[in-house]
Amino acid sequence: MSQSTPYNCTKCDAYCCKHIALQIDTPETPQEYDTIRWYLLHRDVWVSIDHNECWVLEFKTPCRNITNDFLCGDYNARPSICREYPEDGQLCEKQGNEPSYSFLFTSIEEFEHYLSSKGK
């Protein structure tokens, strides 16, 4: 889905600036599943599977430059990852009517439920 008009970030609560999300390898072995469990033992760490079946490790931690009015306090010197987000054809998390993930795990219990539903 491509953007027809740029998203107006001035009406946002800086959601994209309140976490770090990194794509990780899809777990396949018992040890790799155990690593996911370990991630989920940490406060403010989530794991998700996006709509493309990519696994994502997410740290809920705000950028130091967010101001009280949800703007970037160092806008002109912000990193390129901020300048280029969202990429062409990509929607930011605040756009669209569905979450950016197919599955979200915020606890080991949620992950275990997912694994048992998959017969793992």
Side-chain angles (χ1 to χ4, degrees), residues 55-86:
W55 286 66
V56 178
L57 177 62
E58 187 171 335
F59 302 86
K60 294 294 187 183
T61 181
C63 177
R64 291 184 178 112
N65 286 334
I66 298 174
T67 63
N68 289 337
D69 53 357
F70 305 117
L71 298 174
C72 181
D74 198 8
Y75 187 80
N76 291 329
R78 70 196 189 282
S80 61
I81 195 169
C82 302
R83 293 175 187 277
E84 297 164 3
Y85 181 80

Side-chain angles (χ1 to χ4, degrees), residues 2-3 5-6 12 32 35 41 53 56 70 91 93 95 116:
S2 66
Q3 294 175 255
T5 59
C12 181
E32 291 168 340
T35 299
L41 283 174
E53 299 297 318
V56 178
F70 305 117
L91 298 175
E93 291 101 331
Q95 292 175 289
S116 70

Side-chain angles (χ1 to χ4, degrees), residues 17-103:
C17 302
K18 294 179 182 174
H19 68 276
I20 297 170
L22 303 169
Q23 187 172 333
I24 59 175
D25 292 336
T26 300
E28 296 176 0
T29 67
Q31 183 176 353
E32 291 168 340
Y33 288 120
D34 202 46
T35 299
I36 301 294
R37 290 180 188 91
W38 177 71
Y39 294 150
L40 294 171
L41 283 174
H42 292 81
R43 184 179 305 126
D44 301 324
V45 175
W46 296 357
V47 175
S48 62
I49 305 171
D50 70 15
H51 297 292
N52 296 319
E53 299 297 318
C54 296
W55 286 66
V56 178
L57 177 62
E58 187 171 335
F59 302 86
K60 294 294 187 183
T61 181
C63 177
R64 291 184 178 112
N65 286 334
I66 298 174
T67 63
N68 289 337
D69 53 357
F70 305 117
L71 298 174
C72 181
D74 198 8
Y75 187 80
N76 291 329
R78 70 196 189 282
S80 61
I81 195 169
C82 302
R83 293 175 187 277
E84 297 164 3
Y85 181 80
E87 295 174 4
D88 289 340
Q90 180 186 33
L91 298 175
C92 81
E93 291 101 331
K94 288 293 190 170
Q95 292 175 289
N97 296 325
E98 62 182 47
S100 60
Y101 52 82
S102 299
F103 297 96

